[in-house]
Amino acid sequence: MSSSEVLDRLASKSDEFSSYCASDMAELCNALLTNFRNREHEWSDAGNWRAKEISLFRLYEKDKTPSGTIPLVLSQSKQLISATMSKFISTCVESYEYEAGKSTKKPQFLEKEKNVKMEDGSDRSYSTYGPLSVGVPYTSFELHTLPTKEEQASVDIKSKTGSITVILGAGNQPQLSLFDVLQRTLVHREVVFLKHHPLRPHLIALYTILLEPLIKRGFLHQILDSGIPETTKILSHKSIGHVHMTGSLATDKAVRTLISKVKPHLSQSEVDGMVSSELGACTPCIFSDGKYTEKE
């Protein structure tokens, strides 16, 4: 089946998914969570993905003693996947069951809501939520909203015949594309077309198991990278309503330029509203003076 046919099929499921009520979403989230827990023995090494992560990080060189870091990476890779699936989906279950009236327990996120008055002399205030753990040791986050009376533009760019989100997969960590899929499906209720990063084709076997409930319902399709021409063709499809990517600013700008060309009727703000990007970590590095091997 061609990418165009797959996209047409995904688009035909868009309206069905976007109309899911809170009860439907709770059922879907529970199906994902049960699938994740019951099939750990399958997804833990599906397609030998953890060994391929080690190879990708170049922690093992042929005919040399394996690095002592290897067991850590094997464990860490699985932990990152587990934390993403367990914490994210459990939070969604809690939220949707509360919204649907199936549970009287207030979601933890809403339990930790605070109203903070601005310190600019005005009567404006803003809300904060958290801090909450993200499931990874020593890692938490807090959400700050916009101040009250703050205007924010909202653009609806979904097509009438169904809208698809394309995710251009991340290359730096195995759990990032998984998080992106869960975000666009379980929060935004969008059908997703995932193109895996060329550095991580081995994740397709892992994701096929983890995301089976979405795939079986026709809400998700994933492919391996086939080069820039094929990606351009995918992004030019008439039903593309959103593109999310992890990469460089240059790629982000290229995606926006392409959308402007294939959808000339859209304003620049509408094009900008169609694209979300995670442009990589900005972690400072300090190098101490000393002797380093070529590999280091």
Side-chain angles (χ1 to χ4, degrees):
M1 188 180 292
S2 69
S3 59
S4 181
E5 290 172 319
V6 170
L7 289 165
D8 286 340
R9 188 175 65 178
L10 268 176
S12 72
K13 302 291 287 185
S14 175
D15 291 343
E16 174 191 341
F17 193 20
S18 63
S19 67
Y20 263 33
C21 65
S23 183
D24 294 329
M25 291 303 298
E27 183 181 343
L28 172 59
C29 292
N30 273 312
L32 281 162
L33 205 53
T34 300
N35 179 70
F36 158 69
R37 289 169 175 166
N38 290 349
R39 301 179 69 186
E40 181 180 359
H41 62 289
E42 294 180 61
W43 65 257
S44 290
D45 286 303
N48 211 20
W49 71 273
R50 288 197 293 165
K52 290 173 182 176
E53 283 289 304
I54 289 173
S55 177
L56 183 62
F57 282 113
R58 299 174 188 253
L59 294 176
Y60 179 74
E61 295 182 51
K62 191 174 181 180
D63 300 326
K64 290 188 178 181
T65 304
S67 165
T69 313
I70 287 179
L72 176 63
V73 173
L74 279 170
S75 174
Q76 184 184 51
S77 296
K78 183 178 178 181
Q79 182 188 40
L80 289 171
I81 294 296
S82 295
T84 300
M85 288 291 291
S86 181
K87 190 67 177 179
F88 194 107
I89 302 176
S90 295
T91 300
C92 289
V93 168
E94 193 178 61
S95 177
Y96 284 125
E97 288 189 343
Y98 180 76
E99 184 183 340
K102 292 183 176 182
S103 171
T104 57
K105 182 184 176 183
K106 200 172 186 179
Q108 187 183 10
F109 198 63
L110 297 180
E111 285 278 355
K112 295 192 175 183
E113 178 182 7
K114 292 178 290 185
N115 190 263
V116 183
K117 189 174 181 180
M118 297 284 287
E119 297 181 0
D120 58 0
S122 70
D123 60 351
R124 297 187 306 164
S125 62
Y126 63 95
S127 295
T128 67
Y129 300 86
L132 291 177
S133 168
V134 296
V136 178
Y138 312 112
T139 307
S140 62
F141 77 100
E142 187 173 76
L143 174 68
H144 289 231
T145 65
L146 285 171
T148 53
K149 300 181 182 179
E150 195 84 22
E151 292 187 9
Q152 183 180 23
S154 178
V155 181
D156 182 10
I157 43 71
K158 287 192 173 183
S159 66
K160 295 179 181 178
T161 56
S163 183
I164 301 166
T165 288
V166 172
I167 294 176
L168 304 180
N172 51 330
Q173 290 289 345
Q175 83 283 3
L176 292 182
S177 296
L178 179 63
F179 178 86
D180 294 337
V181 170
L182 296 176
Q183 171 75 9
R184 301 312 304 186
T185 54
L186 302 188
V187 176
H188 297 276
R189 304 180 204 192
E190 298 168 348
V191 294
V192 167
F193 187 96
L194 168 64
K195 182 194 76 67
H196 285 278
H197 194 279
L199 285 177
R200 283 188 156 82
H202 50 273
L203 293 181
I204 198 166
L206 168 66
Y207 285 22
T208 296
I209 296 174
L210 290 175
L211 302 172
E212 186 179 271
L214 286 169
I215 295 170
K216 281 191 170 182
R217 286 168 172 78
F219 299 155
L220 170 67
H221 185 85
Q222 52 178 345
I223 63 165
L224 298 176
D225 180 78
S226 297
I228 293 176
E230 180 63 17
T231 301
T232 300
K233 181 181 177 182
I234 291 166
L235 295 179
S236 301
H237 191 275
K238 65 182 184 299
S239 294
I240 302 304
H242 190 88
V243 180
H244 178 78
M245 56 152 288
T246 300
S248 67
L249 182 59
T251 303
D252 173 89
K253 289 181 176 178
V255 169
R256 293 171 196 266
T257 299
L258 175 61
I259 292 174
S260 296
K261 288 181 178 178
V262 299
K263 297 181 184 289
H265 58 286
L266 295 181
S267 66
Q268 188 57 52
S269 64
E270 289 173 321
V271 171
D272 291 342
M274 284 182 65
V275 183
S276 56
S277 305
E278 196 277 277
L279 301 179
C282 299
T283 307
C285 296
I286 300 174
F287 291 91
S288 301
D289 289 338
K291 293 183 179 180
Y292 296 91
T293 65
E294 185 177 344
K295 185 173 177 124
E296 289 171 332

